Amino acid sequence: MGKDDFIYIFQKGFNYSQDGPGNRLVYHLSGCNLNCPWCSNPEGLKITENSQKLSVNDIIKEALSSKMIFIDGGGVTLTGGEVTCQKNAVITVLKELKKNGIHTCIETNASLSGCEEIFDTVDYMIADFKSPYEEKISYIGGNIEIIKKNLLYRAKTKKPLLVRIPLIKFFNCGEETAKDFIKFFEELKRTGNENLFFEILTYHEFGKEKYAKLNMEYTVTDGYVTDEDIKTLLQEFKNANLNVINT
């Protein structure tokens, strides 16, 4: 097997509806190109000696053996870390799953270029849009124009796209920010994709203890959002007639 016939993961398991539709077998891939200080999976930021190496054949075999419990449109989800950091291996996995009739989903930060083949192939895509501002995206190591380009590309395929906003007090709250979020989301809507959805995820500290165990510093001190913060963004979604869901 070549290098693109393996993926590196730090966790796997089953989850219902939160990582794509239905009951899903979820692989958490190691490695990420961003450095979000609120990350809930810091153990997945790098490929390490503790990462598990799985072959495409391993994944297909496990997916096929799980097919009977892929209820309600379920299947396999690749998440992270950041799946597109292993993009060549990921496209190999997605194509093999497709050949075997298994529904596929990815969760991505959409911040790496050259991923069009993934976006064309995967059945369901979940993507973060963390901020409408370049300076904020640069702060976590990304490029806003690449993210926008990638989300527009996926939206134009007319395939399902769920855009998630991790709402974080110090980073992306406020009325003006909410309005600027919506400006880009309206651009996505103009692609005519009827399978375009949005979801707000509020700040939590599920990863804080992991940072301590990994001897890493958890730097967020002002992350929790208020009901008013959520209400402000939801009202902008409503005004723009955008489809907000809650998984």
Side-chain angles (χ1 to χ4, degrees), residues 108-144:
T108 177
N109 61 40
S111 67
L112 290 176
S113 58
C115 300
E116 289 83 3
E117 192 172 8
I118 292 177
F119 304 152
D120 284 332
T121 302
V122 71
D123 295 309
Y124 196 101
M125 178 167 153
I126 302 171
D128 279 357
F129 191 74
K130 297 178 173 70
S131 172
Y133 304 129
E134 173 59 35
E135 63 271 21
K136 293 290 189 179
I137 298 300
S138 295
Y139 167 74
I140 58 174
N143 181 302
I144 190 69

Side-chain angles (χ1 to χ4, degrees), residues 4-24:
D4 296 340
D5 295 320
F6 294 90
I7 63 169
Y8 293 86
I9 71 168
F10 64 92
Q11 182 179 311
K12 67 178 179 179
F14 287 89
N15 200 356
Y16 186 86
S17 82
Q18 293 181 335
D19 299 286
N23 197 40
R24 309 197 69 82

Side-chain angles (χ1 to χ4, degrees), residues 17 19-22 24 72-73 77 94 98 103-108 110 116 118-128 150-164 188 191-199 243 245 247:
S17 82
D19 299 286
R24 309 197 69 82
D72 298 333
T77 295
L94 292 176
K98 194 177 187 73
H103 185 274
T104 58
C105 174
I106 64 166
E107 295 182 88
T108 177
E116 289 83 3
I118 292 177
F119 304 152
D120 284 332
T121 302
V122 71
D123 295 309
Y124 196 101
M125 178 167 153
I126 302 171
D128 279 357
N150 284 337
L151 295 183
L152 279 166
Y153 184 93
R154 173 63 183 191
K156 289 174 181 176
T157 69
K158 302 298 194 292
K159 292 183 176 182
L161 171 61
L162 170 58
V163 180
R164 285 177 169 166
L188 291 178
T191 64
N193 188 339
E194 295 182 357
N195 297 299
L196 179 63
F197 313 99
F198 299 89
E199 184 172 26
N243 192 359
I245 65 173
T247 60

Side-chain angles (χ1 to χ4, degrees), residues 65-82:
S65 69
S66 305
K67 220 172 180 181
M68 68 181 68
I69 58 174
F70 290 155
I71 59 172
D72 298 333
V76 172
T77 295
L78 304 180
T79 184
E82 171 49 41

